Amino acid sequence: MVNIEIPYNYTASPTSVSGTPHLTINREATLDLDSSNAFEGPEKLLEVWFSPSPQALPGSSAPNGLKAVSAGVWKEMLDLVNCKVLSIVESEYVDAYLLSESSMFVFPHKLILKTCGTTTLLCGLPRILEIAGLSAGFPHVVANPVRGIPAAATPYRVFYSRKNFLFPDRQRGPHRSWRDEVKHLDRMFLGGSAYMIGKMNGEHWYLYLTGPDTTLTPPRTPDLERQMRGDTETKVLNLPAQMMAASLDGMQWGGAQDETLEVLMTDLDEENAKQFYLDHASAIAEGQYFQRAHRARRDAHNHLGDLGSVGTIDMSLDGDGYTNGYHDGFDVFSNTSSDNGEFTSSDEDDHFPEELTTEGHSLGTVVSESSGLSEVYPSSKYPDARIDAYLFTPCGFSANGVVPAPEGSISTSPTHYFTVHVTPEPHCSYASFETNVPGRQTGRETAEVVEQVVKIFKPGRFSVTLFEAKANADDGGFPKGYGDAIQEIKALERSAAKRSSRMETIKGYRRVDRIVHDLDGYDLVFRYYERHDWKGGAPCLGEVGY
């Protein structure tokens, strides 16, 4: 049974219910959103760390780090990126911002910003560093007052990545090419490394990262400009199944559970893609709504006899949600399955809520339920998980999930996230799924999660990147007595082989490429798959090489 109303402990402003994620909706930003002109699904992904963990915040920072920064300040920064905040789910450990173009997650020690379309993500980076220094109290230096940037916090690490664009000629600012993006990042950070992973003339993925304790590039003078070396060279990694060592100083990262799984899907099956069109979702919602109204009348009649003698059941709108005599509607945060009924009512007295005919959070919830996305991390396993979903006009879908670790689990972070974004139009269909929920915490193998996600979209092709922190010998990542470096490497290889073997056989797909890369403190595995019955021809690359 599904509930359409917003729970009583959720309001348009922060709730006083301790420890419960709650929603704030920006109704102004949700007016007249239209995805008709959306074309570039592949997102730009920026991750800026200001300390290794929430427990390692510097003494100068606010006790809750970046979470001390107000939503208003972040919204001003996002204006530089050219996207708006639709809604916010706040929790004790992470704030999840659902954006007009993808998502942002704010932890005490790091910020994750993911944007699609023609957004100018890297244009917001200087402002992020300024906010971290001046508003969150992280150690900072004088940046470039002449350009209006009074200060910049020194990040711990910076990661920037994206898939090859479908329409690179339509990008703006520093995003017109990977070379321009690397140049932009080099102007800000010293010692960054750039990589292209995959086939230069096929599907590929770009990554830029800095080492631990990142150093900011000093403001340039004419003399310094002449002394500066050329732009960071992009290393091309295209040797499947070969471990390649990056020319970076080694570092063993203690947070062994820090991992990010990203599934990037193109050429979605058209039938599966229909789930993410407004008309289709509204039809499902209408069937469910009137079927439940019919059941409510039937049950009332069975229990009370003459329905007319007890009045009518109120199915009217109430504020932001729907209420009825049984307080039983569709909860925009519900993580339960819906009945997905087909019944429609002929009773003209029944009023079908307008919220279930127009874009917004209500239909976003219908889609997350009916498509099965809400069951990737089900309520039976994660009872406190919350999903904030939005369906666009005439199509397109975005969702953020805040996933507290189950009681009794061992985790370096008590709360994780996942995010899903869908562009279903046939000529540029694309969907992405990203999460940092540790695989070991789910009790399932990574391949099972990937299969569940892929089944929802049935893409012709997709890539999977798994970015996982290395374990220290001291923290139990290696068996006791394996202090020797060679022994540790062998143990790592055995562990990686065990985890990855299942990923070689995703049901219905053949694995085309596998590239394993040993980065500074992280292991990165990139895989590319094509569906067995796929007959779509060559992929739409748009951007070839770098």
Side-chain angles (χ1 to χ4, degrees), residues 380-437:
S380 58
K381 174 79 173 179
Y382 301 93
D384 297 322
R386 294 293 179 261
I387 300 174
D388 179 18
Y390 195 98
L391 186 68
F392 295 89
T393 299
C395 62
F397 174 84
S398 288
N400 285 341
V402 175
V403 187
E407 190 174 347
S409 66
I410 300 175
S411 176
T412 55
S413 175
T415 303
H416 301 92
Y417 73 90
F418 74 88
T419 184
V420 180
H421 302 283
V422 186
T423 302
E425 295 95 326
H427 65 284
C428 57
S429 64
Y430 171 83
S432 68
F433 172 87
E434 179 190 339
T435 185
N436 73 338
V437 177

CSV table of all heavy atoms in Angstrom, one decimal, residues 380-437:
chain,number,residue,atom,x,y,z
A,380,SER,N,13.3,-2.8,3.4
A,380,SER,CA,13.5,-4.0,4.3
A,380,SER,C,14.9,-4.0,4.8
A,380,SER,O,15.2,-4.5,6.0
A,380,SER,CB,13.2,-5.3,3.5
A,380,SER,OG,14.0,-5.4,2.4
A,381,LYS,N,15.9,-3.6,4.0
A,381,LYS,CA,17.3,-3.5,4.4
A,381,LYS,C,17.7,-2.2,5.0
A,381,LYS,O,18.5,-2.1,5.9
A,381,LYS,CB,18.2,-3.9,3.2
A,381,LYS,CG,19.7,-3.8,3.4
A,381,LYS,CD,20.2,-4.9,4.2
A,381,LYS,CE,21.8,-4.9,4.2
A,381,LYS,NZ,22.4,-6.0,5.0
A,382,TYR,N,17.1,-1.1,4.4
A,382,TYR,CA,17.5,0.3,4.8
A,382,TYR,C,16.2,1.0,5.2
A,382,TYR,O,15.7,1.8,4.4
A,382,TYR,CB,18.2,1.0,3.6
A,382,TYR,CG,19.5,0.3,3.2
A,382,TYR,CD1,19.5,-0.6,2.2
A,382,TYR,CD2,20.7,0.6,3.8
A,382,TYR,CE1,20.6,-1.3,1.8
A,382,TYR,CE2,21.8,0.0,3.4
A,382,TYR,CZ,21.8,-1.0,2.4
A,382,TYR,OH,23.0,-1.6,2.0
A,383,PRO,N,15.6,0.8,6.3
A,383,PRO,CA,14.3,1.4,6.7
A,383,PRO,C,14.4,2.9,6.8
A,383,PRO,O,13.3,3.5,6.7
A,383,PRO,CB,14.0,0.7,8.1
A,383,PRO,CG,15.4,0.3,8.6
A,383,PRO,CD,16.2,-0.1,7.4
A,384,ASP,N,15.5,3.5,7.0
A,384,ASP,CA,15.6,4.9,7.1
A,384,ASP,C,16.0,5.6,5.8
A,384,ASP,O,16.2,6.8,5.8
A,384,ASP,CB,16.6,5.3,8.2
A,384,ASP,CG,16.1,4.9,9.6
A,384,ASP,OD1,14.9,4.9,9.8
A,384,ASP,OD2,17.0,4.4,10.4
A,385,ALA,N,16.1,4.9,4.7
A,385,ALA,CA,16.5,5.5,3.4
A,385,ALA,C,15.4,6.4,2.9
A,385,ALA,O,14.2,6.1,3.1
A,385,ALA,CB,16.8,4.4,2.4
A,386,ARG,N,15.8,7.5,2.2
A,386,ARG,CA,14.8,8.4,1.7
A,386,ARG,C,15.2,8.7,0.3
A,386,ARG,O,16.3,8.9,-0.1
A,386,ARG,CB,14.8,9.7,2.5
A,386,ARG,CG,14.2,9.5,4.0
A,386,ARG,CD,12.8,9.1,4.0
A,386,ARG,NE,12.3,8.9,5.3
A,386,ARG,CZ,12.1,7.7,5.9
A,386,ARG,NH1,12.5,6.6,5.2
A,386,ARG,NH2,11.6,7.5,7.1
A,387,ILE,N,14.1,8.8,-0.6
A,387,ILE,CA,14.3,9.1,-2.0
A,387,ILE,C,13.6,10.4,-2.4
A,387,ILE,O,12.4,10.6,-2.0
A,387,ILE,CB,13.8,8.0,-2.9
A,387,ILE,CG1,14.5,6.7,-2.6
A,387,ILE,CG2,14.0,8.3,-4.4
A,387,ILE,CD1,14.0,5.5,-3.3
A,388,ASP,N,14.3,11.3,-3.0
A,388,ASP,CA,13.7,12.6,-3.5
A,388,ASP,C,13.8,12.5,-5.0
A,388,ASP,O,14.9,12.6,-5.6
A,388,ASP,CB,14.6,13.7,-2.9
A,388,ASP,CG,14.1,15.1,-3.4
A,388,ASP,OD1,12.9,15.2,-3.9
A,388,ASP,OD2,14.8,16.1,-3.3
A,389,ALA,N,12.7,12.4,-5.7
A,389,ALA,CA,12.6,12.2,-7.1
A,389,ALA,C,11.8,13.2,-7.8
A,389,ALA,O,10.8,13.8,-7.2
A,389,ALA,CB,12.0,10.8,-7.4
A,390,TYR,N,12.1,13.5,-9.1
A,390,TYR,CA,11.4,14.5,-9.9
A,390,TYR,C,11.3,14.1,-11.3
A,390,TYR,O,12.3,13.6,-11.9
A,390,TYR,CB,12.2,15.8,-9.8
A,390,TYR,CG,11.5,17.1,-10.3
A,390,TYR,CD1,10.9,17.9,-9.3
A,390,TYR,CD2,11.3,17.4,-11.6
A,390,TYR,CE1,10.2,19.0,-9.7
A,390,TYR,CE2,10.6,18.5,-12.0
A,390,TYR,CZ,10.0,19.3,-11.1
A,390,TYR,OH,9.3,20.4,-11.5
A,391,LEU,N,10.1,14.2,-11.9
A,391,LEU,CA,9.8,13.9,-13.3
A,391,LEU,C,9.6,15.2,-14.0
A,391,LEU,O,8.8,16.0,-13.6
A,391,LEU,CB,8.6,12.9,-13.4
A,391,LEU,CG,8.4,12.4,-14.8
A,391,LEU,CD1,9.5,11.5,-15.3
A,391,LEU,CD2,7.0,11.7,-14.9
A,392,PHE,N,10.3,15.3,-15.2
A,392,PHE,CA,10.2,16.5,-16.0
A,392,PHE,C,9.2,16.5,-17.1
A,392,PHE,O,8.7,15.4,-17.4
A,392,PHE,CB,11.6,16.9,-16.5
A,392,PHE,CG,12.7,17.2,-15.5
A,392,PHE,CD1,13.4,16.1,-14.9
A,392,PHE,CD2,12.9,18.5,-15.1
A,392,PHE,CE1,14.4,16.4,-14.0
A,392,PHE,CE2,13.8,18.7,-14.1
A,392,PHE,CZ,14.6,17.7,-13.6
A,393,THR,N,8.9,17.6,-17.7
A,393,THR,CA,8.0,17.7,-18.9
A,393,THR,C,8.9,17.8,-20.1
A,393,THR,O,9.8,18.7,-20.2
A,393,THR,CB,7.1,19.0,-18.8
A,393,THR,OG1,6.3,18.8,-17.6
A,393,THR,CG2,6.2,19.1,-20.0
A,394,PRO,N,8.6,17.1,-21.2
A,394,PRO,CA,7.6,16.0,-21.3
A,394,PRO,C,8.2,14.7,-20.9
A,394,PRO,O,7.5,13.7,-20.8
A,394,PRO,CB,7.3,16.0,-22.8
A,394,PRO,CG,8.6,16.4,-23.4
A,394,PRO,CD,9.2,17.4,-22.5
A,395,CYS,N,9.5,14.7,-20.5
A,395,CYS,CA,10.2,13.5,-20.1
A,395,CYS,C,11.5,13.9,-19.4
A,395,CYS,O,11.9,15.0,-19.4
A,395,CYS,CB,10.5,12.5,-21.3
A,395,CYS,SG,11.6,13.2,-22.5
A,396,GLY,N,12.1,12.9,-18.8
A,396,GLY,CA,13.3,13.1,-18.0
A,396,GLY,C,13.1,12.9,-16.6
A,396,GLY,O,12.0,13.2,-16.0
A,397,PHE,N,14.1,12.4,-15.9
A,397,PHE,CA,13.9,12.0,-14.5
A,397,PHE,C,15.2,12.2,-13.7
A,397,PHE,O,16.3,11.9,-14.2
A,397,PHE,CB,13.5,10.5,-14.4
A,397,PHE,CG,13.4,9.9,-13.1
A,397,PHE,CD1,12.3,10.1,-12.3
A,397,PHE,CD2,14.5,9.2,-12.6
A,397,PHE,CE1,12.2,9.5,-11.0
A,397,PHE,CE2,14.4,8.6,-11.3
A,397,PHE,CZ,13.2,8.7,-10.5
A,398,SER,N,15.1,12.6,-12.4
A,398,SER,CA,16.2,12.8,-11.5
A,398,SER,C,15.8,12.3,-10.2
A,398,SER,O,14.7,12.5,-9.7
A,398,SER,CB,16.7,14.2,-11.5
A,398,SER,OG,17.4,14.6,-12.6
A,399,ALA,N,16.7,11.7,-9.4
A,399,ALA,CA,16.4,11.2,-8.1
A,399,ALA,C,17.7,11.2,-7.3
A,399,ALA,O,18.8,10.8,-7.8
A,399,ALA,CB,15.8,9.8,-8.1
A,400,ASN,N,17.6,11.6,-6.0
A,400,ASN,CA,18.6,11.4,-5.0
A,400,ASN,C,18.2,10.5,-3.9
A,400,ASN,O,17.0,10.5,-3.5
A,400,ASN,CB,19.0,12.8,-4.4
A,400,ASN,CG,19.8,13.7,-5.3
A,400,ASN,OD1,20.4,13.2,-6.2
A,400,ASN,ND2,19.8,15.0,-5.0
A,401,GLY,N,19.0,9.7,-3.5
A,401,GLY,CA,18.7,8.8,-2.3
A,401,GLY,C,19.7,9.0,-1.2
A,401,GLY,O,20.9,9.1,-1.4
A,402,VAL,N,19.2,9.2,0.0
A,402,VAL,CA,20.0,9.3,1.2
A,402,VAL,C,19.9,8.0,2.0
A,402,VAL,O,18.7,7.6,2.3
A,402,VAL,CB,19.6,10.5,2.1
A,402,VAL,CG1,20.4,10.5,3.4
A,402,VAL,CG2,19.8,11.8,1.3
A,403,VAL,N,21.0,7.2,2.2
A,403,VAL,CA,20.9,5.9,2.6
A,403,VAL,C,21.7,5.7,3.9
A,403,VAL,O,22.9,5.5,3.9
A,403,VAL,CB,21.4,4.9,1.6
A,403,VAL,CG1,21.2,3.4,2.0
A,403,VAL,CG2,20.8,5.1,0.2
A,404,PRO,N,21.1,5.9,5.1
A,404,PRO,CA,21.8,5.6,6.4
A,404,PRO,C,22.2,4.2,6.5
A,404,PRO,O,21.5,3.3,6.0
A,404,PRO,CB,20.8,6.0,7.4
A,404,PRO,CG,19.8,6.9,6.8
A,404,PRO,CD,19.7,6.4,5.3
A,405,ALA,N,23.4,3.9,7.0
A,405,ALA,CA,23.9,2.6,7.2
A,405,ALA,C,23.0,1.8,8.1
A,405,ALA,O,22.5,2.4,9.1
A,405,ALA,CB,25.3,2.6,7.8
A,406,PRO,N,22.7,0.6,7.9
A,406,PRO,CA,21.8,-0.2,8.7
A,406,PRO,C,22.4,-0.3,10.1
A,406,PRO,O,23.6,-0.3,10.3
A,406,PRO,CB,21.8,-1.6,8.1
A,406,PRO,CG,22.2,-1.4,6.7
A,406,PRO,CD,23.1,-0.2,6.7
A,407,GLU,N,21.5,-0.4,11.1
A,407,GLU,CA,22.0,-0.5,12.5
A,407,GLU,C,22.9,-1.8,12.7
A,407,GLU,O,22.6,-2.9,12.2
A,407,GLU,CB,20.8,-0.7,13.4
A,407,GLU,CG,21.1,-0.6,14.9
A,407,GLU,CD,19.9,-0.5,15.8
A,407,GLU,OE1,18.8,-0.4,15.2
A,407,GLU,OE2,20.0,-0.7,17.0
A,408,GLY,N,24.0,-1.6,13.3
A,408,GLY,CA,24.9,-2.7,13.6
A,408,GLY,C,26.0,-2.9,12.5
A,408,GLY,O,26.9,-3.6,12.7
A,409,SER,N,25.9,-2.1,11.4
A,409,SER,CA,26.9,-2.3,10.3
A,409,SER,C,28.1,-1.5,10.7
A,409,SER,O,28.1,-0.5,11.4
A,409,SER,CB,26.3,-1.8,9.0
A,409,SER,OG,26.1,-0.4,9.0
A,410,ILE,N,29.2,-2.0,10.2
A,410,ILE,CA,30.5,-1.3,10.4
A,410,ILE,C,30.8,-0.5,9.1
A,410,ILE,O,30.9,-1.0,8.0
A,410,ILE,CB,31.7,-2.3,10.6
A,410,ILE,CG1,31.3,-3.2,11.8
A,410,ILE,CG2,33.0,-1.6,10.7
A,410,ILE,CD1,32.3,-4.3,12.0
A,411,SER,N,30.9,0.9,9.3
A,411,SER,CA,31.0,1.7,8.2
A,411,SER,C,31.8,3.0,8.6
A,411,SER,O,31.6,3.5,9.7
A,411,SER,CB,29.7,2.1,7.6
A,411,SER,OG,29.8,3.1,6.5
A,412,THR,N,32.7,3.4,7.7
A,412,THR,CA,33.4,4.7,8.0
A,412,THR,C,32.5,5.9,7.8
A,412,THR,O,32.9,7.0,8.3
A,412,THR,CB,34.6,4.8,7.0
A,412,THR,OG1,34.2,4.7,5.7
A,412,THR,CG2,35.6,3.7,7.3
A,413,SER,N,31.4,5.7,7.2
A,413,SER,CA,30.4,6.8,7.0
A,413,SER,C,29.1,6.3,7.4
A,413,SER,O,28.6,5.3,6.9
A,413,SER,CB,30.4,7.3,5.6
A,413,SER,OG,29.4,8.3,5.4
A,414,PRO,N,28.4,7.0,8.3
A,414,PRO,CA,27.1,6.5,8.8
A,414,PRO,C,26.0,6.7,7.7
A,414,PRO,O,24.9,6.1,7.8
A,414,PRO,CB,26.8,7.3,10.0
A,414,PRO,CG,27.6,8.6,9.8
A,414,PRO,CD,28.8,8.2,9.1
A,415,THR,N,26.2,7.6,6.7
A,415,THR,CA,25.2,7.8,5.7
A,415,THR,C,25.8,7.9,4.3
A,415,THR,O,26.8,8.5,4.2
A,415,THR,CB,24.4,9.1,6.0
A,415,THR,OG1,23.8,9.1,7.3
A,415,THR,CG2,23.3,9.4,5.0
A,416,HIS,N,25.2,7.2,3.4
A,416,HIS,CA,25.7,7.2,2.0
A,416,HIS,C,24.6,7.8,1.1
A,416,HIS,O,23.5,8.2,1.5
A,416,HIS,CB,26.1,5.8,1.6
A,416,HIS,CG,27.1,5.2,2.5
A,416,HIS,ND1,26.8,4.4,3.6
A,416,HIS,CD2,28.5,5.3,2.4
A,416,HIS,CE1,27.9,4.1,4.2
A,416,HIS,NE2,28.9,4.5,3.5
A,417,TYR,N,24.9,7.8,-0.2
A,417,TYR,CA,24.0,8.4,-1.2
A,417,TYR,C,23.9,7.5,-2.4
A,417,TYR,O,24.7,6.6,-2.7
A,417,TYR,CB,24.4,9.8,-1.6
A,417,TYR,CG,25.6,9.8,-2.5
A,417,TYR,CD1,25.5,9.8,-3.9
A,417,TYR,CD2,26.9,9.8,-2.0
A,417,TYR,CE1,26.6,9.7,-4.7
A,417,TYR,CE2,28.0,9.8,-2.8
A,417,TYR,CZ,27.9,9.8,-4.2
A,417,TYR,OH,29.0,9.7,-5.0
A,418,PHE,N,22.8,7.7,-3.2
A,418,PHE,CA,22.8,7.2,-4.6
A,418,PHE,C,22.1,8.3,-5.4
A,418,PHE,O,21.3,9.1,-4.9
A,418,PHE,CB,22.2,5.8,-4.8
A,418,PHE,CG,20.7,5.7,-4.7
A,418,PHE,CD1,19.9,5.9,-5.8
A,418,PHE,CD2,20.1,5.4,-3.4
A,418,PHE,CE1,18.5,5.8,-5.6
A,418,PHE,CE2,18.8,5.3,-3.3
A,418,PHE,CZ,18.0,5.5,-4.4
A,419,THR,N,22.3,8.4,-6.7
A,419,THR,CA,21.7,9.3,-7.5
A,419,THR,C,21.5,8.7,-8.9
A,419,THR,O,22.3,8.0,-9.4
A,419,THR,CB,22.5,10.6,-7.6
A,419,THR,OG1,21.8,11.6,-8.4
A,419,THR,CG2,23.9,10.4,-8.2
A,420,VAL,N,20.3,9.1,-9.5
A,420,VAL,CA,19.9,8.5,-10.8
A,420,VAL,C,19.4,9.7,-11.7
A,420,VAL,O,18.7,10.5,-11.2
A,420,VAL,CB,18.8,7.5,-10.7
A,420,VAL,CG1,18.3,7.0,-12.0
A,420,VAL,CG2,19.2,6.4,-9.7
A,421,HIS,N,19.8,9.7,-13.0
A,421,HIS,CA,19.4,10.7,-13.9
A,421,HIS,C,19.1,10.1,-15.3
A,421,HIS,O,19.9,9.2,-15.7
A,421,HIS,CB,20.4,11.8,-14.0
A,421,HIS,CG,20.7,12.5,-12.7
A,421,HIS,ND1,19.9,13.4,-12.1
A,421,HIS,CD2,21.8,12.3,-11.8
A,421,HIS,CE1,20.4,13.7,-10.9
A,421,HIS,NE2,21.5,13.1,-10.7
A,422,VAL,N,18.0,10.4,-15.9
A,422,VAL,CA,17.6,9.8,-17.1
A,422,VAL,C,17.2,10.8,-18.2
A,422,VAL,O,16.4,11.7,-17.9
A,422,VAL,CB,16.4,8.9,-16.8
A,422,VAL,CG1,16.0,8.1,-18.1
A,422,VAL,CG2,16.6,7.9,-15.7
A,423,THR,N,17.8,10.6,-19.4
A,423,THR,CA,17.3,11.4,-20.6
A,423,THR,C,16.8,10.3,-21.5
A,423,THR,O,17.6,9.6,-22.2
A,423,THR,CB,18.5,12.1,-21.2
A,423,THR,OG1,19.1,13.0,-20.3
A,423,THR,CG2,18.1,12.9,-22.5
A,424,PRO,N,15.5,10.1,-21.7
A,424,PRO,CA,15.0,8.9,-22.4
A,424,PRO,C,14.7,9.1,-23.9
A,424,PRO,O,14.4,8.1,-24.6
A,424,PRO,CB,13.6,8.7,-21.7
A,424,PRO,CG,13.2,10.1,-21.3
A,424,PRO,CD,14.4,10.8,-21.0
A,425,GLU,N,14.9,10.3,-24.4
A,425,GLU,CA,14.6,10.5,-25.9
A,425,GLU,C,15.5,9.6,-26.7
A,425,GLU,O,16.7,9.5,-26.5
A,425,GLU,CB,14.9,12.0,-26.3
A,425,GLU,CG,14.0,13.0,-25.6
A,425,GLU,CD,14.5,13.6,-24.4
A,425,GLU,OE1,15.3,12.9,-23.7
A,425,GLU,OE2,14.3,14.8,-24.1
A,426,PRO,N,14.9,8.9,-27.7
A,426,PRO,CA,15.6,7.9,-28.5
A,426,PRO,C,16.9,8.4,-29.2
A,426,PRO,O,17.9,7.6,-29.2
A,426,PRO,CB,14.6,7.5,-29.6
A,426,PRO,CG,13.2,7.9,-29.0
A,426,PRO,CD,13.5,9.1,-28.2
A,427,HIS,N,16.9,9.6,-29.6
A,427,HIS,CA,18.1,10.1,-30.4
A,427,HIS,C,19.3,10.4,-29.5
A,427,HIS,O,20.4,10.6,-29.9
A,427,HIS,CB,17.7,11.3,-31.2
A,427,HIS,CG,17.4,12.5,-30.4
A,427,HIS,ND1,16.1,12.6,-29.8
A,427,HIS,CD2,18.0,13.7,-30.1
A,427,HIS,CE1,16.1,13.8,-29.1
A,427,HIS,NE2,17.2,14.4,-29.3
A,428,CYS,N,19.0,10.5,-28.1
A,428,CYS,CA,20.1,10.8,-27.2
A,428,CYS,C,19.9,10.1,-25.9
A,428,CYS,O,20.3,10.7,-24.8
A,428,CYS,CB,20.3,12.3,-27.1
A,428,CYS,SG,18.8,13.1,-26.4
A,429,SER,N,19.3,8.9,-25.9
A,429,SER,CA,18.9,8.3,-24.6
A,429,SER,C,20.1,8.0,-23.8
A,429,SER,O,21.2,7.5,-24.3
A,429,SER,CB,18.1,7.0,-24.9
A,429,SER,OG,18.8,6.1,-25.6
A,430,TYR,N,20.0,8.2,-22.5
A,430,TYR,CA,21.1,8.1,-21.5
A,430,TYR,C,20.5,8.0,-20.1
A,430,TYR,O,19.5,8.6,-19.8
A,430,TYR,CB,22.0,9.3,-21.6
A,430,TYR,CG,23.1,9.3,-20.6
A,430,TYR,CD1,24.3,8.6,-20.7
A,430,TYR,CD2,22.9,10.1,-19.4
A,430,TYR,CE1,25.3,8.7,-19.7
A,430,TYR,CE2,23.9,10.2,-18.4
A,430,TYR,CZ,25.1,9.5,-18.6
A,430,TYR,OH,26.1,9.5,-17.6
A,431,ALA,N,21.2,7.1,-19.3
A,431,ALA,CA,20.8,7.1,-17.9
A,431,ALA,C,22.1,6.8,-17.1
A,431,ALA,O,23.0,6.1,-17.6
A,431,ALA,CB,19.8,5.9,-17.6
A,432,SER,N,22.1,7.4,-15.9
A,432,SER,CA,23.3,7.2,-15.0
A,432,SER,C,22.8,6.8,-13.6
A,432,SER,O,21.8,7.2,-13.2
A,432,SER,CB,24.1,8.4,-14.9
A,432,SER,OG,23.5,9.5,-14.3
A,433,PHE,N,23.6,5.9,-13.0
A,433,PHE,CA,23.4,5.5,-11.6
A,433,PHE,C,24.7,5.6,-10.9
A,433,PHE,O,25.7,5.1,-11.4
A,433,PHE,CB,22.8,4.1,-11.6
A,433,PHE,CG,22.8,3.5,-10.1
A,433,PHE,CD1,21.6,3.7,-9.4
A,433,PHE,CD2,23.8,2.8,-9.6
A,433,PHE,CE1,21.5,3.2,-8.1
A,433,PHE,CE2,23.7,2.3,-8.3
A,433,PHE,CZ,22.6,2.5,-7.5
A,434,GLU,N,24.7,6.3,-9.8
A,434,GLU,CA,26.0,6.5,-9.0
A,434,GLU,C,25.7,6.3,-7.5
A,434,GLU,O,24.6,6.7,-7.0
A,434,GLU,CB,26.6,7.9,-9.2
A,434,GLU,CG,27.8,8.1,-8.4
A,434,GLU,CD,28.3,9.6,-8.5
A,434,GLU,OE1,27.9,10.3,-9.4
A,434,GLU,OE2,29.0,10.0,-7.6
A,435,THR,N,26.6,5.6,-6.8
A,435,THR,CA,26.4,5.4,-5.4
A,435,THR,C,27.7,5.2,-4.7
A,435,THR,O,28.7,4.8,-5.3
A,435,THR,CB,25.5,4.2,-5.1
A,435,THR,OG1,25.2,4.1,-3.7
A,435,THR,CG2,26.2,2.9,-5.6
A,436,ASN,N,27.7,5.6,-3.4
A,436,ASN,CA,28.9,5.3,-2.6
A,436,ASN,C,28.5,4.3,-1.4
A,436,ASN,O,29.3,4.2,-0.5
A,436,ASN,CB,29.6,6.5,-2.0
A,436,ASN,CG,28.7,7.2,-0.9
A,436,ASN,OD1,27.5,7.0,-0.8
A,436,ASN,ND2,29.4,8.0,-0.1
A,437,VAL,N,27.4,3.6,-1.5
A,437,VAL,CA,27.0,2.6,-0.6
A,437,VAL,C,28.0,1.5,-0.7
A,437,VAL,O,28.1,0.9,-1.8
A,437,VAL,CB,25.6,2.1,-0.8
A,437,VAL,CG1,25.2,1.0,0.2
A,437,VAL,CG2,24.6,3.3,-0.7
